[in-house]
Amino acid sequence: MPAHPKLATEFVKNKERAHWHDQSLWFVRSKRDAASGQIPEWELLREQASKIKSYTVSHLPDLLEEFEKNANAKGVHVHWARDAKEHNEIVHGILKQHNVTKVVKSKSMLTEECHLNPYLERQGIEIIDTDLGERIVQLQNKPPSHLVMPAIHIKKEEIGELFHEKLGTEKGATDPQYLTEAARQHLRQKFIGAEAGITGVNFAIAETGGFVVCTNEGNADLGTSLNKLHIACMGIEKLIPRANDLSVFLRLLARSATGQPITTYSSHFHGPAPGAEMHVVLLDNGRSEIAGSDKFRRSLNCIRCAACMNTCPVYRRSGGYSYNNTVPGPIGSILGPAKDAKEHSSLPFACSLCGSCTDVCPVKIDLHHQLLTWRKEIRVRGLLPFSKRLSMKMMGWMMQAPRLYRFAGKCARAIVPRLPRFLLYNRFNAWGKQRELPDFPKQSFREWMKKNHDNK
Amino acid sequence: MAPKVGLFIPCYIDQLYPQVGIATLKTLEHFGCDVEYPESQTCCGQPMANTGCTNEVGPLARRFLEIFKSYDAVVCPSGSCVSMVKHHYDEYFTDNPEYEALKAKTFEFCEYLTNELGIDKLAGRFPHKVGLHQSCHGLRELRLASSSELRIEPFGPARALLESIDGVEVTTLKRPDECCGFGGTFAVAEEAVSCMMGEDRVSDHEQAGTEVLTALDMSCLMHMSGIIRRQQKPIRVMHISEIFAECL
Ligand code: SF4
């Protein structure tokens, strides 16, 4: 798979689109600023959320058992999946048991992580994403490019095109209201025809054995109440200890994600309705390994609000697909290499280390520090390209020898200004493609000091 | 007694921007510091550290400590190099009191002027619209000003110093503290995104009416000035110490 710089370069080539993408997301970041500004205790909330999550991650086994016990008591079936394969098999097993062939799903990045859709489709099961954005990318046969706005990269003209082709809307239609209405009618049929509903989980509560799903379109409620079977798929880190903790996260989540005071629908599930069945699938898929790592444990605090993406200047200008990972952006650049360091070795470098993600994160994950730590890991595991390693080795070597360093500087200052432009600005000089090099001065600071200061 | 200041001039400033070193020196001496420039210094190791090549950093970190440990204060006109020394050397020193002491007495130039020397007003006149680029490492690692993400009381001593100069008008940006896209080796490894980021920063300043673009870090300015000069924009680029020195 191509590395981030290559995919990002492709995205940036279309300047107009890259600007549009950047501005759409900056708009969301600004809304987040305004919404968080309404809460005087914002920083306190972040601190509290961070503490709760850190506690949870370090007590995961106990809390998960507590959750299972309490969920069972409410009549919920709890399943444990070690990896994506097991997860998909469990889900398929439940569906098969009920002879289900049509499923509606509300947005869940976890099922994206497991590639559940293609898996179920191969088993002859129709699975329809019911979140509007997710449905759009599903119709395109693509994964989401963002955690909470899966189709943020697609323009309304393109959606018009797509809907015309797939849903039979009028050609050339771009009116969002018209297109949304068409999608709603289409989805309504799917909701009615479905025999089971799959949802993600935003927060599962150990103390009660219940869980909460947040959506803006109410599709989780529709998808789970119109039929008798609900399967909820969650990563084991989605747990919180007590029902009381929920208020902290619900206040932070929507504000950080979209600048709304609260998500339109926060649906609480505490056991199946009479005559219905409820299942929770708990997925590990590498999470317990991260929980055991001192360096990266805190990345499990993530509540998937996507604020780090909206603020990330690189994500905004390179698009979600440039990360080539289910979760893109800063947090994705930590989780990606944790899953497969070789495959995702370019992600920790897709970052200018500006630190904005760290300051914006509602659960205070030190994202940019973890990215820097990942760079070291990449180097230690021998995954850093030879050219980078060599240049850094040479630089380190020169910097340990002041005389050599001074000599190299002197030579450069003597030679570079005399070089013809084509020798300086060519395809080997990435700096000079769109930027001028600095003018080389006649003397270095140290030379100036010797002449003008020290002998005074 | 005048504080004995060890001047830490990052390698690229030494080689490419001597005038920034000179301006820093002049300003510090103007405010009564006894400044010395230890000749054997080279580089703090940031490029290697940012690439993950920490093996190459250890010897440089230990050199740095040896060179600078005897001063009352170590002052540097670059937030990101200061951040390297203060926040990223720990792994090379275990329980080393000399390093702990060094950490506490290493300062970014403006921080030293305001917090240590207690200067809050500069004389002189600089009749220009000045755009202040908030370099990320100074902002979010050293906390030299409040960042736009945090909901805390806004502060920014360097900006206040600038504004105290007669004639200076600091411009207002649409995005007050977005990264310029330099990011060390990022500028080359992710050339496309890096340049787009730089371009966007420059046009934000252009629209705000910035005549002189300044920052606490020369590296961000090197990147943006590269773009400004290629695109022939009418913006002058100066390190903040150069503005201060001009006003003395
Ligand atoms: S890392 Fe933080 S900011 Fe990013 S998605 Fe997770 S919780 Fe949100």
Side-chain angles (χ1 to χ4, degrees):
Chain A
M1 271 297 185
H4 187 273
K6 192 154 186 283
L7 297 169
T9 305
E10 281 305 306
F11 191 83
V12 171
K13 260 195 196 137
N14 187 342
K15 266 276 160 69
E16 188 246 337
R17 174 180 282 270
H19 270 128
W20 167 78
H21 192 261
D22 166 55
Q23 273 151 12
S24 317
L25 290 160
W26 184 260
F27 177 70
V28 186
R29 149 87 208 262
S30 312
K31 282 201 343 197
R32 170 265 169 207
D33 288 352
S36 59
Q38 301 284 313
I39 311 267
E41 68 276 25
W42 182 257
E43 295 303 327
L44 250 158
L45 271 182
R46 287 177 72 220
E47 183 60 36
Q48 220 177 336
S50 165
K51 281 196 178 130
I52 298 170
K53 272 290 174 182
S54 298
Y55 174 87
T56 311
V57 174
S58 53
H59 293 77
L60 256 187
D62 293 344
L63 288 170
L64 282 168
E65 265 175 34
E66 188 185 340
F67 173 78
E68 181 182 35
K69 194 181 91 213
N70 292 328
N72 282 338
K74 290 194 160 62
V76 181
H77 303 271
V78 178
H79 310 259
W80 301 78
R82 245 173 321 202
D83 54 23
K85 184 166 171 281
E86 265 187 33
H87 167 271
N88 292 348
E89 284 165 3
I90 291 168
V91 174
H92 180 224
I94 304 167
L95 295 174
K96 211 159 80 184
Q97 222 180 358
H98 291 78
N99 296 318
V100 171
T101 55
K102 287 189 168 70
V103 183
V104 282
K105 194 177 86 190
S106 89
K107 191 173 153 355
S108 150
M109 289 310 278
L110 185 100
T111 56
E112 288 293 333
E113 173 186 330
C114 297
H115 305 291
L116 179 70
N117 287 11
Y119 173 84
L120 288 183
E121 279 157 8
R122 280 200 299 276
Q123 318 294 330
I125 294 172
E126 180 191 73
I127 177 154
I128 302 291
D129 282 310
T130 58
D131 170 275
L132 178 56
E134 276 257 301
R135 185 65 186 136
I136 292 168
V137 291
Q138 190 184 27
L139 287 173
Q140 282 194 336
N141 244 322
K142 291 263 174 62
S145 75
H146 185 277
L147 283 182
V148 300
M149 297 171 282
I152 186 72
H153 61 291
I154 307 174
K155 296 194 168 183
K156 59 179 194 285
E157 293 76 22
E158 294 162 322
I159 297 173
E161 256 320 275
L162 180 74
F163 280 14
H164 169 66
E165 191 187 311
K166 305 271 178 175
L167 307 181
T169 54
E170 269 170 56
K171 191 159 176 57
T174 57
D175 175 38
Q177 201 153 3
Y178 167 76
L179 293 175
T180 313
E181 186 53 33
R184 167 181 286 196
Q185 293 306 333
H186 156 76
L187 283 171
R188 191 157 292 176
Q189 298 310 312
K190 299 294 179 189
F191 277 124
I192 293 170
E195 300 140 336
I198 294 179
T199 68
V201 168
N202 286 90
F203 305 100
I205 306 152
E207 179 188 42
T208 65
F211 59 92
V212 177
V213 184
C214 303
T215 69
N216 270 328
E217 297 160 22
N219 46 321
D221 297 76
L222 263 182
T224 53
S225 49
L226 288 175
N227 55 61
K228 298 250 175 254
L229 180 60
H230 176 185
I231 306 172
C233 304
M234 66 176 265
I236 49 174
E237 85 287 8
K238 289 281 159 134
L239 210 60
I240 54 175
R242 296 159 313 207
N244 241 338
D245 302 326
L246 200 55
S247 59
V248 174
F249 293 100
L250 289 181
R251 292 181 83 195
L252 285 170
L253 178 64
R255 286 185 173 90
S256 299
T258 53
Q260 292 163 272
I262 191 133
T263 321
T264 316
Y265 297 86
S266 300
S267 315
H268 298 242
F269 297 94
H270 284 81
E277 241 183 73
M278 188 177 279
H279 294 257
V280 173
V281 186
L282 295 165
L283 175 71
D284 183 335
N285 211 23
R287 287 165 176 77
S288 52
E289 202 178 314
I290 301 179
S293 138
D294 289 337
K295 291 174 190 155
F296 303 113
R297 178 177 305 128
R298 281 213 267 171
S299 63
L300 289 187
N301 286 10
C302 179
I303 56 173
R304 301 289 192 269
C305 71
C308 58
M309 280 150 228
N310 302 339
T311 208
C312 176
V314 178
Y315 175 91
R316 276 189 265 115
R317 289 175 180 81
S318 61
Y321 293 151
S322 66
Y323 294 81
N324 218 334
N325 188 37
T326 307
V327 180
I331 183 68
S333 299
I334 296 169
L335 299 175
K339 279 230 80 184
D340 186 342
K342 197 167 151 65
E343 167 85 15
H344 299 296
S345 65
S346 73
L347 293 188
F349 298 88
C351 165
S352 63
L353 296 173
C354 77
S356 181
C357 49
T358 301
D359 276 3
V360 95
C361 177
V363 285
K364 286 190 144 185
I365 301 174
D366 52 342
L367 290 146
H368 75 290
H369 290 137
Q370 293 194 28
L371 286 169
L372 187 60
T373 307
W374 256 119
R375 294 184 185 188
K376 290 181 206 168
E377 283 290 315
I378 300 281
R379 162 77 180 86
V380 169
R381 296 188 197 181
L383 297 169
L384 194 67
F386 177 69
S387 59
K388 268 195 191 173
R389 246 167 48 218
L390 183 71
S391 59
M392 288 305 139
K393 211 164 189 73
M394 281 170 50
M395 187 165 175
W397 182 60
M398 179 172 80
M399 292 305 182
Q400 282 176 63
R403 281 173 51 201
L404 180 64
Y405 156 78
R406 281 195 300 255
F407 179 68
K410 221 181 167 67
C411 292
R413 273 195 311 284
I415 297 166
V416 173
R418 297 208 170 87
L419 291 178
R421 221 178 142 77
F422 75 90
L423 272 183
L424 281 176
Y425 295 95
N426 52 44
R427 67 195 174 86
F428 299 110
N429 174 6
W431 177 276
K433 257 181 154 173
Q434 307 180 60
R435 286 167 292 213
E436 290 295 301
L437 290 162
D439 280 332
F440 278 57
K442 294 227 160 47
Q443 54 183 357
S444 67
F445 174 70
R446 121 188 10 240
E447 287 163 2
W448 181 90
M449 275 304 264
K450 264 219 160 81
K451 266 194 224 122
N452 301 283
H453 192 266
D454 298 351
N455 303 331
K456 257 199 292 198
Chain B
M1 235 190 34
K4 214 172 141 213
V5 171
L7 191 56
F8 162 27
I9 296 297
C11 50
Y12 72 99
I13 292 186
D14 171 37
Q15 294 295 335
L16 298 172
Y17 300 102
Q19 74 276 15
V20 174
I22 297 169
T24 307
L25 172 80
K26 278 193 177 151
T27 313
L28 289 172
E29 287 187 336
H30 172 83
F31 287 113
C33 299
D34 173 10
V35 187
E36 214 175 87
Y37 173 71
E39 249 255 305
S40 51
Q41 61 178 298
T42 55
C43 168
C44 62
Q46 189 172 198
M48 301 77 159
N50 281 0
T51 323
C53 296
T54 42
N55 287 348
E56 278 72 40
V57 183
L60 294 175
R62 286 185 287 274
R63 271 182 67 91
F64 191 94
L65 177 62
E66 281 314 306
I67 293 171
F68 283 106
K69 67 183 179 190
S70 61
Y71 293 97
D72 297 334
V74 181
V75 178
C76 169
S78 160
S80 99
C81 301
V82 169
S83 163
M84 177 70 201
V85 171
K86 282 172 92 106
H87 299 314
H88 300 286
Y89 274 6
D90 288 81
E91 60 186 288
Y92 310 106
F93 302 104
T94 31
D95 287 331
N96 184 327
E98 281 180 335
Y99 172 58
E100 292 307 315
L102 179 78
K103 252 206 268 198
K105 64 184 181 188
T106 303
F107 303 98
E108 183 279 326
F109 166 68
C110 290
E111 179 192 20
Y112 187 68
L113 292 184
T114 51
N115 292 1
E116 299 304 302
L117 300 182
I119 293 154
D120 54 14
K121 200 170 161 27
L122 290 172
R125 198 173 145 67
F126 195 74
H128 296 289
K129 287 191 169 172
V130 176
L132 176 62
H133 174 69
Q134 295 285 8
S135 301
C136 301
H137 284 175
L139 190 67
R140 301 195 189 89
E141 292 250 295
L142 294 176
R143 301 282 174 213
L144 299 179
S146 49
S147 66
S148 60
E149 296 86 9
L150 296 182
R151 301 280 81 95
I152 52 174
E153 277 301 314
F155 66 97
R159 189 191 175 103
L161 266 188
L162 259 185
E163 280 173 336
S164 78
I165 299 170
D166 189 23
V168 166
E169 185 195 324
V170 179
T171 53
T172 308
L173 300 169
K174 287 206 191 89
R175 302 180 184 185
D177 52 18
E178 174 146 286
C179 176
C180 69
F182 173 65
T185 47
F186 176 83
V188 171
E190 290 268 4
E191 189 267 345
V193 179
S194 167
C195 286
M196 186 177 168
M197 286 165 71
E199 231 179 81
D200 289 351
R201 286 320 283 153
V202 170
S203 52
D204 199 351
H205 277 284
E206 215 180 0
Q207 279 164 27
T210 295
E211 293 162 13
V212 178
L213 175 60
T214 195
L216 280 59
D217 252 280
M218 202 56 222
S219 50
C220 311
L221 291 175
M222 170 166 79
H223 166 64
M224 283 188 286
S225 130
I227 288 169
I228 288 171
R229 287 166 58 212
R230 174 66 60 90
Q231 300 188 351
Q232 303 186 337
K233 304 237 183 222
I235 296 178
R236 210 168 122 204
V237 176
M238 287 171 90
H239 187 270
I240 199 163
S241 64
E242 293 180 85
I243 297 183
F244 291 176
E246 219 175 283
C247 291
L248 295 179

